[in-house]
Amino acid sequence: MTRWHNWAGSVTATPDAIRLPETEADIQDVVRAATERGDTVRVAGSGHSFSPVVPTNDTLVSLERYTGVVDVDTEAGRATVRAGTTLAELNGELAAHGLAMENLGDVDAQTVAGALATGTHGTGLDFGVLSTQAVGFRFMTADGEVLEVTPEDGDVFRSAQVSLGALGVVSEVTLDLVPAYDLCLRRRA
């Protein structure tokens, strides 16, 4: 058995299986098989969280092989991205299209879905948590059904914004973006 731990080493688990799906169909297969066995499925993003939301003795899913930008609409200022994409990868891809997320925190090793699902915040009092930039989610429910939600879905969408994985395994996220910008560092003594 393989042991899993978060980046700080403060949360550990020894799951029966660690799955690394590469396609959305792979994610469905993993979820359906685990459900048939009566297993609990947890998704481990980049393991940046300090909370014990990931540990399981059953099936642990890592989306580190399910990455990349699916679609960019520069005119609408939106992009759809696979859940396992890190914020660092996303930032580079968006910059190439002249776009950026409105606000980010200081850690870019997090996966997009992980940062949203755990309520990760950015910087500044005038900005919401990162999940307020999401305008669509695509995820697998426990029976392997693909569900897409948008703000028009009301409570289901709001639940998906900071879900902690409770609604299923997120496969894609659509983000509302802003034109790319540069930051200026100023230090004062």
Side-chain angles (χ1 to χ4, degrees):
M1 284 190 206
T2 302
R3 192 160 176 82
W4 174 88
H5 61 84
N6 69 348
W7 73 278
S10 60
V11 180
T12 62
T14 308
D16 285 339
I18 296 180
R19 302 290 183 234
L20 298 126
E22 297 182 20
T23 67
E24 190 173 70
D26 291 346
I27 297 170
Q28 281 182 298
D29 291 344
V30 167
V31 170
R32 285 181 177 146
T35 298
E36 287 173 11
R37 288 189 309 274
D39 282 0
T40 299
V41 175
R42 297 283 189 255
V43 181
S46 63
H48 192 266
S49 180
F50 292 102
S51 65
V53 72
V54 173
T56 181
N57 293 327
D58 293 331
T59 301
L60 184 70
V61 176
S62 169
L63 298 176
E64 66 189 62
R65 295 182 182 167
Y66 188 66
T67 64
V69 174
V70 175
D71 182 57
V72 176
D73 184 339
T74 53
E75 199 167 299
R78 290 195 171 167
T80 300
V81 59
R82 290 185 186 101
T85 307
T86 65
L87 294 173
E89 293 169 318
L90 177 61
N91 290 335
E93 189 75 31
L94 294 179
H97 292 279
L99 296 169
M101 290 183 71
E102 181 178 45
N103 187 25
L104 289 167
D106 63 344
V107 176
D108 65 0
Q110 293 171 283
T111 63
V112 171
L116 301 181
T118 58
T120 298
H121 62 84
T123 55
L125 297 173
D126 297 327
F127 300 101
V129 296
L130 298 189
S131 63
T132 61
Q133 298 172 58
V135 294
F137 293 92
R138 184 174 169 96
F139 59 92
M140 306 302 137
T141 62
D143 63 359
E145 175 189 356
V146 176
L147 186 61
E148 293 188 41
V149 296
T150 65
E152 289 75 33
D153 294 307
D155 288 343
V156 176
F157 175 77
R158 286 187 291 282
S159 296
Q161 284 181 291
V162 183
S163 69
L164 298 175
L167 298 178
V169 179
V170 173
S171 62
E172 293 179 2
V173 177
T174 300
L175 299 164
D176 200 15
L177 305 166
V178 298
Y181 53 91
D182 291 320
L183 296 175
C184 177
L185 173 64
R186 293 186 185 161
R187 294 186 179 154
R188 296 185 180 122

